[in-house]
Amino acid sequence: KNPMAGSPGFVGSLSWPQSRHGSGRMLPLAPRSFPLAPSPRSSAPFHAGKGIMAIRCLAPSGIDALPLSLQAATFVSIFAGLGLGTALLSGPTFSAVERTLPKGWFSSWKKTWPLLGLVYVLAGVAHFTAKDAFLAIYPPLGTWGLWFLPGSAEFHVAWTGVAEVLGGSGLLLGGTIQALGREDLLPNSMKGVKYASALALFLLTLAVTPANIYMYTHGATMPGLGPPGEIPVSFHAVRGLLQVVLLSLLWSMSAGEGAGKSSSS
């Protein structure tokens, strides 16, 4: 009898022979011992026939059936890729785009970037109006073998929602007033609200990135908000690229410089 049946939070070491079966949704375990991820989204090991034990993963990526060491490496690699992509896009790439476009086009485009604040405000409100969808993508303790953040899922969904509303409002307000050339309307203590809000949202986006990674590695979905049914790997790839763009825009705004400053000053 399988000792792990009914215990999705179990972390243990088992040794099973390797095999491959079906379309790849059932992933075999290598002929060596390794800890299993404590993910409620993966089934307990089961008999696949002829003495073979396997784990059925729920993520199209298959990451949730890998040893924890490889899951952790995947997590770190994704973060590193986002950082590298952001550095390249917000620096040399934006500068090259500015030089390529007719004079003034890039600076005009930059004035629209604070509209991202509205997106964050709406997303922050959704943390409360569709709380269950966000709770569903919060990684359980022990995910990837490195996720042990204190606090409940409800707490983290709530504070990030509030932070998105506040940061988004600050970015939208500061950006709008700056675009209208009426920064004189702001008290001295709020002159830099646009830049501070952009930096806060940049850090916040990094803080909630593990939830996005969890969707990719463990097949988590957002009932009522995300795509219905199983989310393909291609969706996560596109979202990753869009997140690089988002982080680059926020970083450039927070610095108050970067691409286009010379021409827009």
Side-chain angles (χ1 to χ4, degrees):
K1 181 179 179 181
N2 177 14
M4 292 180 62
S7 302
F10 178 90
V11 179
S13 293
L14 298 173
S15 181
W16 296 313
Q18 185 172 6
S19 72
R20 190 156 294 278
H21 176 75
S23 62
R25 294 294 292 148
M26 183 179 77
L27 296 188
L29 299 176
R32 57 188 175 84
S33 297
F34 58 80
L36 295 173
S39 169
R41 297 198 56 79
S42 295
S43 68
F46 64 95
H47 285 282
K50 297 182 180 180
I52 302 300
M53 291 295 290
I55 232 180
R56 189 178 300 281
C57 66
L58 295 186
S61 65
I63 303 298
D64 54 344
L66 294 177
L68 285 180
S69 59
L70 294 181
Q71 292 190 34
T74 300
F75 178 87
V76 173
S77 297
I78 292 174
F79 251 106
L82 289 174
L84 178 60
T86 300
L88 292 175
L89 183 58
S90 61
T93 303
F94 275 177
S95 296
V97 171
E98 181 188 11
R99 290 193 301 269
T100 302
L101 293 175
K103 185 177 181 180
W105 282 27
F106 195 90
S107 58
S108 296
W109 177 47
K110 284 189 68 176
K111 293 179 180 179
T112 67
W113 293 1
L115 292 176
L116 288 171
L118 179 60
V119 176
Y120 275 94
V121 170
L122 295 177
V125 171
H127 278 233
F128 300 95
T129 60
K131 182 175 69 174
D132 289 344
F134 291 91
L135 290 175
I137 63 171
Y138 184 82
L141 290 180
T143 302
W144 311 296
L146 49 73
W147 185 258
F148 297 99
L149 188 67
S152 65
E154 289 80 2
F155 168 74
H156 290 293
V157 168
W159 82 258
T160 52
V162 172
E164 287 180 347
V165 171
L166 294 178
S169 298
L171 181 61
L172 190 59
L173 174 64
T176 300
I177 290 179
Q178 186 181 64
L180 295 175
R182 296 304 309 271
E183 292 182 275
D184 57 296
L185 297 176
L186 292 173
N188 290 333
S189 60
M190 292 186 63
K191 294 294 185 183
V193 63
K194 170 188 169 182
Y195 310 116
S197 297
L199 178 59
L201 291 176
F202 176 85
L203 296 175
L204 179 62
T205 300
L206 290 178
V208 301
T209 293
N212 295 335
I213 297 177
Y214 180 59
M215 294 178 70
Y216 165 67
T217 61
H218 289 70
T221 59
M222 302 180 71
L225 286 184
E230 187 177 86
I231 302 176
V233 173
S234 58
F235 173 90
H236 296 290
V238 172
R239 182 171 64 180
L241 293 175
L242 291 177
Q243 186 161 347
V244 168
V245 174
L246 176 61
L247 288 170
S248 299
L249 295 177
L250 291 172
W251 179 253
S252 295
M253 283 188 286
S254 71
E257 51 184 41
K261 184 183 180 184
S262 59
S263 62
S264 60
S265 298

